[in-house]
Amino acid sequence: MAMVVKNNMPAKQTLNKLNKNSKALSKSLKKVASGMKINSAADDASGFSISEKMRVQIRALDQANDNTQNASSLLRVADGALSNTVDIMRTMKEKAINAANDTNTDEDRAIIQKELDQFIDQVNDNANVTFNGRYIFDGGADKTYSTEQMINAALYSEWIPNSLESIKNGLGLDFANSNGVKEMGIYFSNEGGTTLAYVTNWPGSGGKTSELAMTVNMDFYNNLDKDDVNGKSSTPGSGYLDRTIVHEMTHAVMASNITDFNDLYGCITEGAAEVVHGIDDFRTSKILEFAQSGTDIDNNLEKSPGTGNDVKHYAGGYVMYRYMAANSGFAPADSVKQFMSSLASSSGNIDDRVDAAVAAATKGRFSSFDSMKAAMVADRSKYGSGDGETKKFLLDCCNINLDNNEIDVGSITGSDAGNRSSKNAEETLPEAGSVKFWTNPVANESVIDGLNVKWRPGSRTVDFGGGNVRDWHSADLRIKDGLSFQTGIKANQNVFLALSKVDAQAMGLMDKDGKTLKVTTQAKAEAAISQLDKSINRALNQLTTIGAVTSRMEYTQANLTTASENTVSAESVIRDADMAKEMAEYTKNNVLLQASQSMLAQANQNSSGVLSLLQ
């Protein structure tokens, strides 16, 4: 090796090694100190990127887990408040049953009423429960954004179930025990005319109905009063929609139960619907026209299908059923039930079946439809002419009181037919008294007392023949307001919960005018029992929803915890240091650094040998 002094190459080379060993030792020291083998992108660019994304995911999963736990806490608060409301209503029903017993005087019932009023106040207090300052029962499930959606809410909450209850009580028919079709679509149309709503039935094999659809004519109900529980519309001729619904639902139930339903006489099909809800208020003139004389009865009471004549089919059928019930030997509603039971259990020639049904409904007093008609004609002939004599015949022979309209409209289950409860036009269906009781269907299909109601079966065009084409559409059921729990790490990964209001009006314990549920008379106490059953059922449906979401939250929380653990484990594989390996590397680099330092000193001494040559 040449002896030079300007460039000490061994020293430079040793210094280079020293610097490399120093950097290696520094990295090893950082890994040992941090416990991670990747401390910056320079250590492993791709590994660093993947690891950082995993860290973002881990923090997001942990926050979503916290969200889920907070949501569960909110649901527990809601569950507690609503469970207390159910307990209150359970006690209220107990008190109502007590009040309905005639061993109590009205003074006793007044005392019970004071208790109920306090209970109702507590229900309102429970409804105001909050979580973190936010009202929980905000009514998101109840809000409607169109008249059609509001009608759907009314149908779902009251009009269909109450109609089916009234039909069961009046006719003895229902969907639950039917061997026929048990599905019905709900549609809306704008088609003018005079028909308010109608049920379409399609006959299938063997005379059994294969399909049902109910259509509401929105030309009459676009101006629906949003605060009226009966479905009052400002459009002339619309009447109360709830009465129209129970009328049409009667046809639906009969079509499901009775073979060859479309072959039945018009007076039987339309009259049956009329006696369920009563008509002697708005069809008074038609009833008088039908029964003006024996000849009129003979001419008007026809044995032919059809729905187009108010006098022959609607008024005539109504008077026929009331006359049959009044002369049957049964309680009025039981007579009609016997008639319907006979029709539902028979098949074959329609005339023979109707005759058998009349005989069954009158304990054989009338052997056929014709014999009953002849008896009606004979009885009417005993009275003179004019409206006064017609009213007397109707009252004496049919129990139809046309001067009692404000109290009772002549339902087969009302006071005019011998029952204790009166039913006027507003009380045809046993409703809660406030539209706050209405809530939206929670799915596209709902089973109501054995009937599967399809709320959104899709729009359709039906050709009824002869160029009679109608376009139907269904209402939008989307519920837009409610609680959204962010339980995922991406947008829209959430659990949506829409809760109904649970105050006294929403529970059916108070009407829109603030009047509370009453038990001050025996009749009111009985009505309170029925309403409390519906109120408790509504609250329990809410509790079921809350419980289902709470259960889901438990699974969501477990899933988030597992996902977080697995992601942490994956991130550890990429980024965490193997301490034993890193300590060995650190020790090696430390020894190399010390050796480099020692050799650098030796290299620096080698150049000093030149000085001996210069002496």
Side-chain angles (χ1 to χ4, degrees):
M1 173 183 286
M3 298 184 68
V4 296
V5 294
K6 185 176 181 181
N7 292 298
N8 188 348
M9 293 309 298
K12 286 182 177 293
Q13 292 169 351
T14 303
L15 178 61
N16 184 34
K17 291 292 184 183
L18 175 64
N19 290 334
K20 288 182 179 181
N21 290 334
S22 177
K23 291 178 181 179
L25 180 63
S26 177
K27 287 184 178 182
S28 294
L29 184 62
K30 189 183 293 185
K31 291 178 181 179
V32 172
S34 66
M36 297 186 298
K37 63 183 178 183
I38 302 176
N39 288 284
S40 66
D43 294 332
D44 182 349
S46 62
F48 179 82
S49 175
I50 295 170
S51 174
E52 286 299 314
K53 289 179 181 178
M54 287 183 173
R55 286 187 172 186
V56 171
Q57 186 174 359
I58 291 166
R59 293 186 62 176
L61 287 167
D62 290 343
Q63 183 57 58
N65 201 345
D66 290 342
N67 289 357
T68 304
Q69 293 181 42
N70 289 334
S72 296
S73 298
L74 181 148
L75 292 170
R76 283 193 293 272
V77 172
D79 184 279
L82 194 52
S83 293
N84 184 258
T85 296
V86 172
D87 288 340
I88 290 172
M89 290 192 292
R90 188 182 298 120
T91 304
M92 289 179 67
K93 182 176 180 182
E94 180 183 356
K95 299 294 183 182
I97 292 173
N98 182 15
N101 192 358
D102 266 340
T103 57
N104 292 300
T105 65
D106 285 346
E107 288 78 10
D108 296 328
R109 295 184 178 107
I111 295 173
I112 295 174
Q113 184 64 49
K114 291 181 180 180
E115 291 186 81
L116 261 62
D117 289 342
Q118 290 298 317
F119 289 146
I120 291 172
D121 286 343
Q122 184 58 47
V123 168
N124 281 327
D125 289 343
N126 290 351
N128 291 324
V129 65
T130 62
F131 184 86
N132 193 31
R134 174 167 186 162
Y135 287 101
I136 299 177
F137 297 102
D138 59 357
D142 310 328
K143 293 182 181 179
T144 56
Y145 305 93
S146 68
T147 303
E148 294 168 345
Q149 190 178 12
M150 182 176 70
I151 292 173
N152 267 348
L155 289 170
Y156 171 68
S157 303
E158 292 208 279
W159 292 348
I160 289 181
N162 290 347
S163 293
L164 295 177
E165 178 184 357
S166 296
I167 295 164
K168 177 70 172 178
N169 292 336
L171 306 186
L173 300 180
D174 57 22
F175 282 102
N177 296 298
S178 169
N179 292 321
V181 61
K182 297 185 179 183
E183 294 183 346
M184 183 178 74
I186 302 296
Y187 294 96
F188 302 90
S189 69
N190 294 88
E191 53 188 61
T194 59
T195 302
L196 307 179
Y198 56 90
V199 165
T200 309
N201 66 87
W202 287 265
S205 61
K208 292 186 176 294
T209 299
S210 62
E211 186 177 353
L212 292 171
M214 177 185 285
T215 307
V216 178
N217 187 353
M218 295 307 295
D219 283 332
F220 285 96
Y221 296 107
N222 276 320
N223 299 316
L224 207 64
D225 186 342
K226 294 179 171 55
D227 295 318
D228 189 87
V229 295
N230 299 114
K232 182 179 180 180
S233 173
S234 60
T235 304
S238 57
Y240 290 133
L241 183 53
D242 64 345
R243 293 180 79 178
T244 301
I245 295 302
V246 69
H247 184 103
E248 299 306 322
M249 286 302 301
T250 302
H251 295 328
V253 174
M254 291 177 67
S256 174
N257 282 271
I258 299 174
T259 305
D260 298 318
F261 168 76
N262 291 333
D263 294 336
L264 282 173
Y265 311 156
C267 61
I268 291 177
T269 57
E270 297 302 336
E274 301 287 51
V275 295
V276 168
H277 57 73
I279 60 156
D280 63 23
D281 52 343
F282 66 90
R283 292 197 192 276
T284 297
S285 62
K286 302 300 181 182
I287 292 173
L288 289 172
E289 182 180 346
F290 168 81
Q292 195 63 225
S293 68
T295 301
D296 287 320
I297 292 176
D298 190 34
N299 292 335
N300 287 322
L301 197 57
E302 293 183 343
K303 297 170 64 174
S304 62
T307 60
N309 191 299
D310 283 356
V311 175
K312 294 183 178 183
H313 298 144
Y314 295 84
Y318 173 76
V319 175
M320 178 205 72
Y321 276 108
R322 292 297 303 275
Y323 179 84
M324 180 180 70
N327 294 275
S328 66
F330 289 107
D334 290 341
S335 174
V336 180
K337 290 177 182 177
Q338 289 289 335
F339 183 85
M340 291 296 166
S341 176
S342 178
L343 286 178
S345 61
S346 64
S347 60
N349 180 273
I350 200 68
D351 293 328
D352 294 340
R353 293 169 61 195
V354 171
D355 289 344
V358 169
T362 60
K363 295 184 178 180
R365 177 173 181 176
F366 305 126
S367 60
S368 66
F369 182 88
D370 287 335
S371 65
M372 180 175 65
K373 177 180 176 180
M376 287 179 66
V377 171
D379 283 341
R380 178 63 185 90
S381 299
K382 298 175 184 177
Y383 296 82
S385 61
D387 288 351
E389 288 293 292
T390 303
K391 287 183 178 181
K392 190 175 180 182
F393 157 73
L394 291 170
L395 183 60
D396 293 345
C397 300
C398 308
N399 291 331
I400 297 175
N401 187 349
L402 293 182
D403 296 322
N404 193 33
N405 294 337
E406 291 185 3
I407 298 174
D408 192 271
V409 294
S411 164
I412 198 66
T413 56
S415 60
D416 275 4
N419 297 287
R420 297 189 66 171
S421 299
S422 297
K423 295 185 177 182
N424 60 27
E426 290 77 22
E427 296 169 345
T428 297
L429 293 183
E431 288 157 338
S434 172
V435 297
K436 286 187 176 181
F437 191 77
W438 299 350
T439 188
N440 291 303
V442 296
N444 291 344
E445 297 183 12
S446 304
V447 177
I448 303 175
D449 296 335
L451 173 65
N452 184 25
V453 182
K454 297 182 178 181
W455 305 105
R456 294 177 64 184
S459 299
R460 61 190 298 180
T461 300
V462 177
D463 187 349
F464 292 89
N468 185 7
V469 178
R470 291 176 182 169
D471 294 320
W472 295 340
H473 67 276
S474 52
D476 187 353
L477 287 181
R478 285 177 293 178
I479 298 175
K480 303 176 183 178
D481 294 282
L483 301 171
S484 181
F485 304 126
Q486 181 67 36
T487 58
I489 63 175
K490 299 291 185 181
N492 298 319
Q493 288 183 341
N494 48 44
V495 175
F496 181 75
L497 174 64
L499 294 174
S500 296
K501 286 187 175 296
V502 294
D503 57 25
Q505 283 194 34
M507 287 290 103
L509 308 177
M510 182 184 291
D511 67 15
K512 62 181 180 180
D513 299 320
K515 297 177 181 178
T516 58
L517 195 69
K518 298 298 183 184
V519 294
T520 49
T521 66
Q522 197 276 340
K524 289 181 179 179
E526 284 193 350
I529 293 171
S530 296
Q531 180 55 51
L532 282 165
D533 284 337
K534 298 172 185 175
S535 301
I536 292 171
N537 186 60
R538 188 180 193 276
L540 290 176
N541 284 338
Q542 282 275 80
L543 273 176
T544 301
T545 300
I546 293 171
V549 176
T550 301
S551 178
R552 178 179 176 180
M553 287 298 176
E554 293 175 358
Y555 286 106
T556 301
Q557 184 179 344
N559 180 59
L560 290 170
T561 300
T562 301
S564 178
E565 290 174 353
N566 291 336
T567 307
V568 168
S569 176
E571 195 264 348
S572 174
V573 172
I574 296 173
R575 200 152 186 173
D576 286 357
D578 182 342
M579 295 302 291
K581 178 181 178 181
E582 295 304 333
M583 281 302 298
E585 188 71 16
Y586 168 77
T587 302
K588 180 190 75 173
N589 290 330
N590 190 30
V591 171
L592 289 174
L593 178 63
Q594 293 178 40
S596 299
Q597 289 172 338
S598 177
M599 292 304 101
L600 180 59
Q602 186 67 36
N604 287 335
Q605 284 183 346
N606 288 342
S607 297
S608 64
V610 175
L611 294 176
S612 63
L613 297 174
L614 299 176
Q615 290 179 352

